[in-house]
Amino acid sequence: MSTRLEKKMEARRQAGRKALFIYITAGATGLEETAETVLEAEKAGADVIELGLPFSDPMADGPVIQAASVSALRNGMTTEKELELVRKLRTRTDIPLIGMGYINPMLHYGFEQYARDFRAAGLDGLIVPDVPHEESAELRAACEKAGLHYAEFITPGTTEARMEKTCAGATGFIYCVSNNGVTGVKSVDYSVIGKVCDRARRLTNTPLAVGFGIGSPEAAVEAAKHADAVICGSAVVSRLQEGKKEEAFALIHDMREALDAAYGKENA
Amino acid sequence: MKKGRFGAYGGQYVPEIVMPALEELEAAYAKYKEDPDFQKEFAYYLKEYAGRPTRLYYAEQLTKHYGRAKIFLKREDLLHTGAHKINNALGQALLAKRMGKKRIVAETGAGQHGVASATVAALFGMECHVFMGALDVERQKLNVFRMKLLGAKVIPVSSGTGTLKDATSEAIRYWATNIEDTHYIIGSAVGPHPYPTIVRDFQSVIGAEIRSQMAERGLGTPDYLLACVGGGSNAIGTFYEFRGDKDVKKIGIEAGGRGSRPIDNAKTLSGSGEPGVLHGAYSYLLQDEDGQVVEAYSISAGLDYPGVGPEHSYFKDEGIVTYDSVTDDEALAAFQRLSRVEGIIPALESSHALAYLEKLMPKTSPDETVVVCLSGRGDKDVAMVAKALGEEIE
């Protein structure tokens, strides 16, 4: 039985289209508002939502998402409230929801319980950027047991040997980091990650999603060339944080249009 | 033990982008650790440039003051740049040089490690970027200017609450973005493997010297070893040599700050810390009920870190080292006491270890010995202490 995420990715792939993942920090613009934001993002053209689960020390994130995390925590975001948010969203949408959070809150809650509770709430997968493959066994096992996808990472610096390990057990999608850096970096040469994606493609059938530094429709098209999906975070989050919601949704819409124009909407 | 672990603690909880750099560092360190040329060069700079070995000073006046065990001070404060941080900075800069890196990035709390990093970068002709919490930039203006004089770029970090932990995250981010030509000199025995091991090895000269200096005096091993613990680099450097000596009582002193709530102190091991992950390692951590990291507090900018080096967590669980704390006020009193009694102005960090003598000394006897690691000198803290004592000096 395939999952919500697998179904969505398979449908996109069969249509020759690229999927668009949009990152939204849970609670960053107010605890009540996130659900509406997610639904609007879906309406604007997002295929998958990456729900940012705020952490006090988000090592892999750039200034925009760091600031959004701080806002979310100040707004009173907690693991319990994240669960509530997912439950609430599940009554209103079937869009794949992938949580992106850091290990410590998960560890504190207990991996198995965490995976089980979020799966029960309706989450489809987890991305944990401060856990490299070597440290992931326990968390991966907990996700697997609960039925959550666990995203592995590859980067331009990932060696062949590491790539074989990470790709071997990957399900759902593989997070391909476009550059050596943190989220929100501008002007990236996507040909570098493109080559990495091509290498990964030979090792796995799991969809590849490119993220980091994708802030415009042009960048999305460019980044999608060698992948199945692109992930846009900081560009959307910064607009949301500045209160420019319409601009954020317009950006999602423009990315959707650009991706579909470039990658065969007519075949859909 | 698993690779990069001290018991259950340690590990490599970093983004995938950082992994190749850690692997590169691990391989380079494994190679140079055994390389006599590297060790010779390191020893040369420790001696000729930094001023090792540091004195093990018999603090006769302080001993008289308490009238109990003999007190010795391991004078890391007499090193070039005024603190033990130079030991590690020199070792890592030499490592970076051999790895072909052109730039040093470092985080700093009190500014001592930033100054040490800027110093070695100047010495070896490398570019240096120092990330420092905006609040610390304010608290430690003198060290900020020192770093600038040495040619380093000081970058204030205002994310989070603008202290050491935020500066550390930012330094890691910068490193992740510039991994090819940059080496990150972490300043304490914290962070992902292999850093806690590298920093410990470069600092363990402290304990090794204590052992031989005590032996030279015919005093055998010390009965007590005291060192302050923030991230824990001077403490691990002091204790490591004696980890197998059961009759050497090793006590790490944390910052008890201004109260018992987690946000009012930095009692990671001696207070309410629980194991968790921060800055790449699994170790004791001050955190809330949701696993969010709590801001630690101390009057000392070098101790207000909510985490601690993973080897200390292991030493705590195994009972190899005991961890306790003293308050801001007790540290301030010790700062003044050593100044008056011995004519030595200690760093506020080291003052925490000295303050513990108040608790310890009544339990000791005149035939015993106590060695305190005087990790740094107090010049940098004079303005802060004046303010705390209500003196106007500006």
Side-chain angles (χ1 to χ4, degrees):
Chain A
M1 198 185 72
S2 43
T3 64
R4 263 188 287 261
L5 178 67
E6 285 167 341
K7 278 184 211 148
K8 175 71 70 108
M9 296 307 289
E10 190 50 32
R12 286 283 173 262
R13 189 180 271 181
Q14 290 201 351
R17 288 171 58 177
K18 306 290 185 178
L20 177 60
F21 289 33
I22 297 296
Y23 174 99
I24 292 164
T25 306
T29 52
L31 296 184
E32 300 307 316
E33 223 181 281
T34 308
E36 294 307 318
T37 309
V38 167
L39 297 171
E40 285 293 323
E42 181 181 19
K43 224 186 282 171
D47 292 308
V48 174
I49 296 295
E50 237 186 69
L51 201 57
L53 310 171
F55 180 52
S56 53
D57 297 79
M59 206 201 310
D61 285 301
V64 170
I65 292 177
Q66 279 179 60
S69 296
V70 170
S71 301
L73 292 174
R74 288 213 178 114
N75 289 337
M77 206 21 134
T78 60
T79 303
E80 265 326 307
K81 285 177 178 147
E82 288 158 13
L83 283 164
E84 269 170 43
L85 171 64
V86 175
R87 275 183 220 116
K88 189 165 148 193
L89 277 166
R90 272 294 163 250
T91 64
R92 301 177 66 186
T93 173
D94 214 32
I95 193 168
L97 293 170
I98 313 292
M100 175 155 167
Y102 288 77
I103 187 176
N104 201 51
M106 300 173 190
L107 189 64
H108 201 77
Y109 197 93
F111 289 156
E112 290 217 356
Q113 190 71 37
Y114 190 94
R116 205 162 44 230
D117 289 356
F118 272 94
R119 182 70 195 99
L123 200 74
D124 300 294
L126 270 185
I127 306 169
V128 193
D130 59 345
V131 177
H133 184 76
E134 283 78 353
E135 303 285 3
S136 67
E138 227 179 304
L139 186 54
R140 240 181 320 133
C143 286
E144 207 168 301
K145 199 169 155 197
L148 282 179
H149 291 292
Y150 178 85
E152 298 277 1
F153 282 84
I154 57 176
T155 78
T158 306
T159 58
E160 209 67 42
R162 288 180 61 75
M163 203 181 286
E164 276 171 32
K165 277 192 280 178
T166 43
C167 288
T171 70
F173 73 99
I174 293 172
Y175 200 125
C176 308
V177 179
S178 63
N179 67 326
N180 278 342
V182 295
T183 58
V185 180
K186 290 190 179 80
S187 75
V188 175
D189 176 7
Y190 296 105
S191 64
V192 182
I193 191 68
K195 288 194 194 101
V196 180
C197 288
D198 292 345
R199 271 159 58 205
R201 187 72 82 200
R202 289 197 291 272
L203 298 169
T204 179
N205 241 333
T206 306
L208 305 174
V210 173
F212 284 41
I214 298 168
S216 68
E218 298 73 32
V221 169
E222 189 61 29
K225 211 177 267 177
H226 300 259
D228 303 286
V230 293
I231 304 168
C232 175
S234 295
V236 168
V237 171
S238 67
R239 286 166 175 83
L240 292 173
Q241 292 307 107
E242 286 163 20
K244 297 172 184 162
K245 274 193 259 179
E246 295 317 310
E247 279 185 30
F249 302 132
L251 176 66
I252 297 169
H253 174 82
D254 293 348
M255 285 182 152
R256 170 88 276 152
E257 295 268 290
L259 284 173
D260 289 345
Y263 300 100
K265 191 178 184 178
E266 66 275 10
N267 306 326
Chain B
M1 260 185 248
K2 267 167 65 185
K3 188 194 90 171
R5 296 271 175 173
F6 309 96
Y9 303 104
Q12 295 181 303
Y13 296 92
V14 294
E16 174 65 27
I17 38 168
V18 178
M19 287 303 286
L22 290 179
E23 284 173 356
E24 184 190 342
L25 180 62
E26 192 181 356
Y29 183 62
K31 179 176 159 195
Y32 293 119
K33 195 185 168 188
E34 306 302 333
D35 177 3
D37 274 353
F38 177 83
Q39 290 301 339
K40 205 175 133 193
E41 196 182 6
F42 182 39
Y44 170 83
Y45 282 104
L46 283 180
K47 177 169 181 257
E48 300 295 334
Y49 187 73
R52 300 213 74 92
T54 56
R55 295 285 172 265
L56 184 69
Y57 168 68
Y58 171 44
E60 203 173 348
Q61 301 310 316
L62 196 63
T63 300
K64 273 189 199 149
H65 173 86
Y66 288 109
R68 301 278 175 152
K70 285 195 175 68
I71 301 168
F72 293 85
L73 302 177
K74 182 56 176 164
R75 298 293 306 273
E76 296 297 295
D77 62 316
L78 292 179
L79 286 170
H80 179 43
T81 71
H84 72 289
K85 297 287 185 189
I86 193 79
N87 302 328
N88 170 52
L90 269 174
Q92 288 206 42
L94 288 170
L95 199 55
K97 213 174 68 162
R98 298 211 178 202
M99 288 165 75
K101 307 286 180 183
K102 295 179 175 54
R103 191 186 301 126
I104 294 296
V105 58
E107 85 295 335
T108 197
Q112 293 306 96
H113 173 58
V115 168
S117 299
T119 300
V120 296
L123 176 65
F124 297 123
M126 298 164 106
E127 201 184 307
C128 183
H129 290 201
V130 180
F131 290 89
M132 189 167 184
L135 186 67
D136 290 333
V137 169
E138 205 44 50
R139 289 199 280 193
Q140 300 287 343
K141 283 181 191 154
L142 193 62
N143 272 340
V144 171
F145 185 64
R146 259 187 207 132
M147 288 183 263
K148 285 182 187 164
L149 273 177
L150 293 161
K153 193 172 162 200
V154 179
I155 302 126
V157 176
S158 46
S159 57
T161 51
T163 59
L164 181 60
K165 84 179 173 80
D166 309 295
T168 304
S169 295
E170 209 52 45
I172 295 172
R173 288 186 193 102
Y174 181 90
W175 188 40
T177 319
N178 298 277
I179 241 151
E180 276 137 48
D181 61 354
T182 303
H183 174 68
Y184 172 34
I185 303 190
I186 207 161
S188 194
V190 299
H193 172 71
Y195 277 111
T197 301
I198 292 179
V199 176
R200 178 250 281 156
D201 288 352
F202 289 153
Q203 292 294 0
S204 59
V205 64
I206 302 173
E209 285 178 7
I210 292 173
R211 187 188 287 282
S212 61
Q213 288 165 327
M214 287 295 283
E216 274 164 32
R217 290 168 193 258
L219 291 168
T221 51
D223 294 293
Y224 295 92
L225 275 177
L226 303 184
C228 63
V229 179
S233 69
N234 89 84
I236 207 77
T238 303
F239 300 151
Y240 187 69
E241 168 74 23
F242 297 95
R243 67 195 181 285
D245 295 70
K246 286 213 172 68
D247 38 358
V248 178
K249 292 173 228 29
K250 298 164 284 284
I251 306 165
I253 320 299
E254 296 189 308
R258 61 191 167 201
S260 60
R261 292 184 307 166
I263 54 163
D264 285 331
N265 61 64
K267 290 158 61 172
T268 310
L269 294 165
S270 59
S272 54
E274 292 173 74
V277 173
L278 177 67
H279 297 143
Y282 178 61
S283 193
Y284 277 81
L285 179 62
L286 294 174
Q287 51 188 317
D288 69 12
E289 64 285 352
D290 225 33
Q292 303 291 345
V293 181
V294 166
E295 287 293 338
Y297 163 83
S298 167
I299 188 169
S300 156
L303 298 182
D304 65 353
Y305 185 64
V308 69
E311 198 163 15
H312 284 294
S313 293
Y314 172 67
F315 282 176
K316 173 188 159 83
D317 284 7
E318 295 295 310
I320 294 169
V321 178
T322 307
Y323 297 88
D324 208 328
S325 68
V326 301
T327 64
D328 279 0
D329 289 343
E330 289 169 320
L332 275 169
F335 181 95
Q336 297 168 83
R337 190 180 311 118
L338 194 71
S339 302
R340 286 203 202 116
V341 174
E342 286 285 352
I344 298 172
I345 302 178
L348 269 177
E349 291 77 16
S350 323
S351 299
H352 283 72
L354 292 163
Y356 192 75
L357 292 171
E358 295 284 305
K359 291 188 196 175
L360 177 69
M361 293 316 287
K363 289 187 258 175
T364 66
S365 60
D367 59 340
E368 290 185 305
T369 53
V370 178
V371 174
V372 183
C373 182
L374 192 57
S375 56
R377 68 177 183 226
D379 310 43
K380 68 181 175 60
D381 296 312
V382 167
M384 187 71 194
V385 171
K387 201 174 145 199
L389 299 177
E391 296 255 352
E392 198 66 52
I393 58 168
E394 298 215 5

